């Protein structure tokens, strides 16, 4: 078991997991600052992550309309050692100027309270501008010293190859492709995206490694996920989850009583991806940290692979 990994080519080293901050400041999906969780909850989660050795935090300008970056920026001021901070640029259709990426990056850095960031990613491959347009601007931000690493997010095989090709002209590596990947979303391995990223030496960052809660053992047909998450599931899938969560628990018992959540996150690590589970409070942070420091066996991974097909 390797405790630390190099996140991407010529990039920084990190524990085998980071923290996603999609929920930080987001009222629409996650219920921030209501009865669910507040800034105080997030700060406790952040402090526990730092204490455990977590150094990588992923955010985006669209998370809470910039609120996530503001919150994270406030927290990182009190940390004395280097952190790995990643954010994302959203290619809105009205962003047509040649300095769109640079301006957005500067605004994100201002909210984060930083002079540069370790990783800047194109959040989605949206039209009308072609991918090449945005990657060229990213290269400009890299050369200007605002960005230490360039990544993409939610890019297909063909889109990833195109971004990689543009950066080759500047001798800049494509650092990462951040994609949704979990035991309930296996598309990246089935369509070949994981393999292509490996061939291109592009690290895969796995967001929603807990299937937005489905792999925690919390939800059942009688207690489905709330809001849009519930609309993404159906009765058949929730029925299948009951047996699968029992398998996760059984496998977790082989490793000193690991929980279904910890088994699910460790599975993404065994797939050579870098998971960034989201946290909203101290309890979730402590739960996710339990996915580190041990490894599923190859047989256990194979069993999860096979049984997981029934819930996709």
């Amino acid at each position: 078991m390797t405790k630390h990994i190099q996140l991407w080519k010529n990039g920084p080293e990190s524990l085998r997991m980071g923290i996603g901050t999609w929920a930080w400041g987001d009222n629409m999906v996650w219920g921030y600052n209501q009865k669910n969780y507040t800034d105080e909850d997030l700060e406790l989660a952040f402090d526990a992550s730092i204490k455990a050795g977590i150094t990588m935090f992923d955010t985006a300008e669209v998370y809470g309309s910039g609120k996530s970056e503001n919150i994270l920026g406030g927290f990182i001021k009190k940390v004395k050692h280097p952190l790995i901070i990643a954010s994302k640029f959203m290619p809105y259709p009205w962003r047509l100027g040649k300095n769109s990426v640079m301006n957005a990056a500067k605004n994100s850095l201002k909210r984060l309270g930083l002079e540069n960031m370790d990783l800047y990613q194109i959040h989605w491959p949206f039209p009308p501008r072609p991918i090449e347009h945005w990657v060229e601007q990213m290269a400009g931000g890299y050369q200007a010293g605002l960005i230490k690493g360039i990544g993409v997010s939610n890019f297909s095989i063909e889109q990833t190859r195109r971004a990689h090709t543009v950066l080759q002209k500047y001798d800049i590596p494509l650092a990462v492709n951040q994609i949704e990947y979990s035991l309930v979303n296996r598309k990246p391995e089935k369509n070949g995206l994981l393999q292509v990223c490996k061939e291109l030496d592009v690290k895969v960052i796995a967001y929603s490694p807990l299937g937005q809660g489905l792999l925690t053992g919390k939800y059942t047909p009688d207690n489905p996920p709330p809001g849009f998450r519930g609309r993404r599931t159906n009765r058949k899938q929730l029925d299948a989850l009951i047996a699968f969560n029992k398998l996760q628990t059984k496998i977790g018992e082989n490793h000193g009583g690991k929980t279904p959540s910890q088994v699910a996150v460790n599975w993404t690590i065994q797939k050579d991806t870098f998971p960034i589970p989201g946290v909203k409070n101290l309890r979730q942070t402590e739960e996710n940290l339990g996915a580190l420091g041990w490894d599923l066996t190859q047989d256990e991974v194979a069993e999860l692979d096979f049984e997981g097909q029934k819930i996709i």
Side-chain angles (χ1 to χ4, degrees), residues 53-178:
I54 296 292
T55 54
M56 195 279 192
F57 293 84
D58 179 84
T59 184
E61 63 175 349
V62 299
Y63 295 167
S65 299
K67 184 70 174 176
S68 175
E69 291 177 329
N70 277 321
I71 293 171
L72 179 59
F75 294 164
I76 63 180
K77 288 178 182 178
K78 59 184 179 180
V79 180
K80 304 303 181 184
H81 60 268
L83 297 178
I84 304 165
I85 304 300
S87 193
K88 305 181 199 72
F89 164 84
M90 181 62 80
Y92 292 118
W94 57 84
R95 280 182 161 166
L96 302 174
K98 62 180 181 180
N99 294 316
S100 295
V101 168
M102 196 79 75
N103 292 336
K106 288 177 180 178
N107 287 332
S108 286
L109 288 169
K110 183 177 180 179
R111 288 187 288 269
L112 289 163
L114 299 173
E115 293 183 359
N116 53 53
M117 70 182 85
D118 297 277
L119 179 66
Y120 201 38
Q121 304 148 95
I122 303 173
H123 207 149
W124 287 91
F126 286 160
R129 289 292 196 179
I131 291 164
E132 289 78 5
H133 173 80
W134 299 122
V135 179
E136 290 279 358
Q137 288 196 30
M138 283 282 197
Y142 181 97
Q143 292 171 330
L146 296 180
I147 306 165
K148 296 180 183 178
I150 297 175
V152 296
S153 182
N154 302 298
F155 274 41
S156 68
I157 290 175
E158 182 253 349
Q159 291 161 344
T160 302
R161 289 190 185 278
R162 286 165 58 188
H164 182 268
T165 298
V166 172
L167 292 178
Q168 278 188 314
K169 297 189 305 182
Y170 301 95
D171 196 27
I172 301 172
L174 177 59
V176 308
N177 186 2
Q178 183 178 149

Side-chain angles (χ1 to χ4, degrees), residues 1 12 14 25 36 68 99 106 113 124 197 222 243 253:
M1 186 224 13
S14 166
N36 294 330
S68 175
N99 294 316
K106 288 177 180 178
W124 287 91
C197 287
D222 297 323
E253 289 172 352

Side-chain angles (χ1 to χ4, degrees), residues 2 24 29 34 118 129 131 189 193 195 205 230 251-252 266:
T2 303
W24 296 19
V29 177
Q34 298 173 16
D118 297 277
R129 289 292 196 179
I131 291 164
E189 64 182 62
L193 180 57
Q195 182 58 37
I205 294 179
I251 289 176
N266 195 275

Side-chain angles (χ1 to χ4, degrees), residues 237-300:
Q237 188 177 37
L238 291 170
D239 283 334
L241 270 172
I242 296 175
F244 191 73
N245 290 154
K246 289 180 179 178
L247 171 62
Q248 291 172 273
T249 300
K250 184 193 79 170
I251 289 176
E253 289 172 352
N254 298 335
H255 298 275
K258 296 299 180 182
T259 66
S261 296
Q262 292 161 353
V263 168
V265 174
N266 195 275
W267 177 88
T268 64
I269 293 172
Q270 304 311 316
K271 294 291 185 176
D272 197 29
T273 71
F274 184 80
I276 51 167
V279 296
K280 296 183 291 186
N281 53 51
L282 179 60
R283 180 192 62 78
Q284 290 180 345
T285 303
E286 293 173 340
E287 175 77 11
N288 289 333
L289 290 171
L292 296 173
W294 59 283
D295 287 309
L296 291 165
T297 67
Q298 291 183 355
D299 287 344
E300 289 167 341

